[in-house]
């Protein structure tokens, strides 16, 4: 449940009720907006009586939170969150583009792609060093060597960096070399990994599971935040449906649905959702039009010879054309880019 304080509630009143809640063995999540303060309560609420809470000074009302996630919920935290990633930030007022190869292949490849995506407006370089491939015989990634190339690319271009992690070992490596970690679709409900990501101290991009509902996804985010890491960004990357014309079905309605349910930033990945470079541009524009906070797009110097996901990767020319075409969409939704 949440306790909504009256406008201009005093610090003493907020302190008194907060102390009462904590003394009863529950946790408090304070959200101090410009107008009102909201006190979110996490824990076994049978330990508290609403009748006692409502009579505290300056309390306006008590609202039950029916969702099982609390810290991720907009009821708990009405203002949209901005997540800082290296020297950039994801959230209201701007469009963040993460771009780069599916997999880090070589030092030269990564640097060449980093320079090109930066020139076209990307601020975060993506590149997989640990690749959770459908087939065990497919390229599995360069692992720590790949992370080192990411760090070099950052030093040479100033781009912030993101890498997927698939294990605790990968998280320990990522902390040394990159600015943000990604939990991929296949690991969205790997609860041990989520907890470890929550303890890593790095911002986390949480991709939607292949068959996950929005509520399951938000509960996965809750696992990370509950470890003390509030810096979570959600990424819609398509879900499994009966449709086979695209690799997955991009659920763009998830963007406004999430907007109403959570304060966390939401980005869209038109590459993994469609599986074909041909559909990336229209879905990227649609994502900006429905007010996503950012995009994750796969770009490759030579898609035909890419070690993974070549068919959905944009060439430098196509990526440049797309980012140019996104600018008027950004103006419409009042986002700088
Ligand atoms: C990726 O971004 O490299 C990736 C594997 O994506 P997903 O987890 O969405 O399939
Ligand atoms: Mn990929």
């Amino acid at each position: 449940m949440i306790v909504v304080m009256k406008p201009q509630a005093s610090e003493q009143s907020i302190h008194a009720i907060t102390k009462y809640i904590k003394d009863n063995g529950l946790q408090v999540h304070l959200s101090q907006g410009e107008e009102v303060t909201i006190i979110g309560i996490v824990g076994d609420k049978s330990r508290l009586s609403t009748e006692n809470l409502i009579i505290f000074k300056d309390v306006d009302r008590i609202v039950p939170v029916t969702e099982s996630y609390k810290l991720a919920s907009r009821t708990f935290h009405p203002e949209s969150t901005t997540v800082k990633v290296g020297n950039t930030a994801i959230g209201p007022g701007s469009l963040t583009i993460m771009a780069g190869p599916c997999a880090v292949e070589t030092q030269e490849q990564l640097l060449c792609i980093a320079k090109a995506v930066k020139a076209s407006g990307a601020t975060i370089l993506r590149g997989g060093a640990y690749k959770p491939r459908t087939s065990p015989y497919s390229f599995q990634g360069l692992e720590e060597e790949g992370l080192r190339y990411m760090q070099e690319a950052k030093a040479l271009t100033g781009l912030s960096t993101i890498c997927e992690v698939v294990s605790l070992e990968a998280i320990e490596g990522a902390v040394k070399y990159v600015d943000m970690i990604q939990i991929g679709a296949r690991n969205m409900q790997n609860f041990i990994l989520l907890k470890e990501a929550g303890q890593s101290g790095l911002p986390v991009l949480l991709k939607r599971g292949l068959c996950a509902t929005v509520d399951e996804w938000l509960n996965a985010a809750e696992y990370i935040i509950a470890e003390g890491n509030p810096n979570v960004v959600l990424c819609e990357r398509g879900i499994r449906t009966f449709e086979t014309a695209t690799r997955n079905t991009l659920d763009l309605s998830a963007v406004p649905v999430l907007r109403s349910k959570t304060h966390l930033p939401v980005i869209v990945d038109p590459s993994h959702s469609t599986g074909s470079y041909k559909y990336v541009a229209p879905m990227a524009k649609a994502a900006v039009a429905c007010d996503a906070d950012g995009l994750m797009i796969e770009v490759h110097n030579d898609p035909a010879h890419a070690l993974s996901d070549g068919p959905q990767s944009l060439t430098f020319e196509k990526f440049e054309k797309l980012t140019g075409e996104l600018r008027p969409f950004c103006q419409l939704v009042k986002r700088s880019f």
Side-chain angles (χ1 to χ4, degrees):
M1 71 184 116
I2 60 165
V3 178
V4 183
M5 301 300 284
K6 289 183 179 148
Q8 280 95 44
S10 72
E11 283 298 321
Q12 285 109 307
S13 305
I14 297 169
H15 177 74
I17 189 161
T18 305
K19 182 171 182 311
Y20 174 76
I21 298 165
K22 286 184 180 162
D23 288 349
N24 278 278
L26 288 103
Q27 287 169 33
V28 165
H29 177 83
L30 212 58
S31 173
Q32 276 171 313
E34 283 188 7
E35 299 273 301
V36 290
T37 294
I38 290 176
I39 302 171
I41 306 176
V42 188
D44 177 6
K45 54 182 189 295
S46 66
R47 288 160 168 246
L48 276 187
S49 112
T50 324
E51 287 82 32
N52 286 354
L53 287 174
I54 196 80
I55 55 175
F56 269 78
K57 187 157 179 277
D58 288 340
V59 169
D60 183 34
R61 58 189 193 280
I62 314 279
V63 184
V65 179
T66 45
E67 296 92 4
S68 48
Y69 52 90
K70 311 286 177 199
L71 303 171
S73 138
R74 197 177 272 283
T75 320
F76 253 57
H77 191 296
E79 273 162 47
S80 294
T81 291
T82 295
V83 172
K84 207 173 167 299
V85 180
N87 47 26
T88 183
I90 308 172
S94 62
L95 181 82
T96 302
I97 301 191
M98 307 181 180
C102 179
V104 179
E105 295 171 11
T106 65
Q107 194 178 21
E108 299 71 43
Q109 170 244 21
L110 187 65
L111 190 57
C112 152
I113 297 174
K115 286 180 182 160
V117 298
K118 184 182 176 185
S120 297
T123 51
I124 302 182
L125 176 67
R126 66 144 287 144
Y130 301 87
K131 296 305 303 173
R133 305 301 298 280
T134 301
S135 161
Y137 308 117
S138 303
F139 176 59
Q140 303 286 311
L142 297 181
E143 304 186 345
E144 191 158 348
E145 186 187 348
L147 292 175
R148 277 202 301 276
Y149 296 160
M150 289 293 282
Q151 187 187 42
E152 282 169 21
K154 177 189 162 97
L156 290 166
T157 61
L159 287 168
S160 301
T161 49
I162 178 168
C163 242
E164 178 169 359
V165 292
V166 293
S167 62
L168 177 57
E169 188 197 357
I171 292 179
E172 285 166 354
V175 169
K176 289 189 261 167
Y177 300 109
V178 296
D179 298 307
M180 184 178 211
I181 52 177
Q182 173 175 325
I183 304 273
R186 288 153 196 82
N187 275 311
M188 190 209 81
Q189 282 189 316
N190 181 340
F191 299 114
I192 295 176
L193 192 66
L194 294 174
K195 286 185 186 179
E196 283 161 353
Q199 291 159 14
S200 70
L202 285 182
V204 181
L205 182 74
L206 179 63
K207 288 193 137 193
R208 183 179 186 172
L210 280 77
C211 299
T213 64
V214 166
D215 272 24
E216 286 164 343
W217 189 8
L218 287 171
N219 272 294
E222 187 83 3
Y223 266 88
I224 301 169
I225 308 173
E227 293 298 318
N229 184 351
N231 301 312
V232 179
V233 176
L234 302 164
C235 178
E236 164 61 43
R237 49 77 71 206
I239 47 174
R240 281 278 166 87
T241 68
F242 54 82
E243 182 56 73
T244 53
T246 47
R247 181 174 175 181
N248 292 287
T249 297
L250 179 57
D251 178 13
L252 272 186
S253 57
V255 179
V257 169
L258 287 166
R259 196 66 80 208
S260 68
K261 287 177 175 275
T262 180
H263 54 91
L264 300 172
V266 182
I267 73 161
V268 170
D269 174 346
S271 306
H272 292 89
S273 50
T274 63
S276 166
Y277 76 90
K278 290 183 197 145
Y279 311 130
V280 169
M283 297 326 288
K285 292 174 198 167
V288 178
C290 71
D291 210 22
D293 296 292
L295 294 165
M296 170 173 267
I297 298 176
E298 285 187 343
V299 177
H300 199 280
N301 54 316
D302 181 8
H305 293 99
L307 294 184
S308 79
D309 286 348
Q312 69 198 31
S313 300
L314 297 189
T315 57
F316 296 165
E317 295 70 31
K318 287 193 173 71
F319 181 65
E320 188 182 17
K321 180 166 181 287
L322 169 59
T323 56
E325 288 172 358
L326 287 176
R327 292 189 195 277
F329 287 85
C330 291
Q331 277 167 7
L332 283 173
V333 292
K334 300 193 170 46
R335 287 181 184 271
S336 63
F337 165 61

